[in-house]
Amino acid sequence: MYRFLIAAACLLAVCFALERRQGAKTVRPAFSVGLTHNHTFDQPENVLYDRVFVDTTSSYNPTTGVYTVPMTGDYVVQMHAVAEYDGVLQLELTKNDDYVLSAYAHTTAEYASASNVGVLHLTQGDLLHVVGKGSSILYGYEQEVYCTLSAYLLYASK
């Protein structure tokens, strides 16, 4: 199920990434990133997604976990995550360090997952990132990428 969600997010990002206008290709902003290792948060901090599936404008920085919006418009933003056994998952999407939306899950005996999707109006230069809070335990391995963040431009505006 999760691999399908990741594949669908990547496919949507790629499909919307290139747009034809009068025979020339115009790059449309889109990115999709994932986490390839387990990570525990002792204090609030940015999630540093280390696998870049797609980044059509090279706007995601894996060192800081920050996506710098390259073009003003309406974006679809998706985040998905899995908590490990006996774990709490608490993530917040922020824009310019202001809260936008959350994903939360708690489990005592199994894995737990959380997702959230929103359509946001973003301005060129806005900074998006996901903050892990509380005792969040994000699950991930090289061949098991369950924690992802993706966004793509629906409509450009001024």
Side-chain angles (χ1 to χ4, degrees):
M1 175 71 172
Y2 295 107
R3 290 181 187 193
F4 171 76
L5 289 174
I6 293 168
C10 290
L11 180 61
L12 281 172
V14 170
C15 287
F16 284 102
L18 296 177
E19 179 179 274
R20 296 202 180 267
R21 288 190 182 157
Q22 300 172 350
K25 289 183 181 178
T26 301
V27 175
R28 182 177 287 198
F31 84 104
S32 185
V33 294
L35 188 68
T36 64
H37 58 276
N38 284 349
H39 188 78
T40 303
F41 299 99
D42 296 325
Q43 60 186 359
E45 64 182 80
N46 287 3
V47 178
L48 305 180
Y49 298 97
D50 57 329
R51 179 172 294 163
V52 178
F53 298 108
V54 173
D55 187 1
T56 61
T57 58
S58 300
S59 298
Y60 176 74
N61 183 337
T63 304
T64 62
V66 174
Y67 178 73
T68 304
V69 176
M71 183 184 299
T72 299
D74 297 329
Y75 287 75
V76 174
V77 181
Q78 308 172 47
M79 66 177 175
H80 308 283
V82 170
E84 185 136 28
Y85 282 102
D86 297 326
V88 173
L89 172 71
Q90 183 178 352
L91 301 176
E92 291 183 355
L93 177 70
T94 66
K95 176 181 84 169
N96 302 325
D97 291 324
D98 292 327
Y99 170 84
V100 177
L101 53 86
S102 299
Y104 177 85
H106 177 260
T107 183
T108 57
E110 296 291 331
Y111 291 96
S113 63
S115 297
N116 209 335
V117 178
V119 176
L120 309 175
H121 182 76
L122 301 174
T123 302
Q124 183 176 3
D126 281 346
L127 304 176
L128 287 182
H129 62 276
V130 174
V131 176
K133 291 187 160 193
S135 61
S136 298
I137 300 170
L138 298 181
Y139 178 81
Y141 287 102
E142 193 69 28
Q143 300 301 319
E144 296 181 36
V145 180
Y146 296 106
C147 302
T148 61
L149 174 63
S150 302
Y152 59 88
L153 178 67
L154 275 179
Y155 299 104
S157 62
K158 295 183 183 200

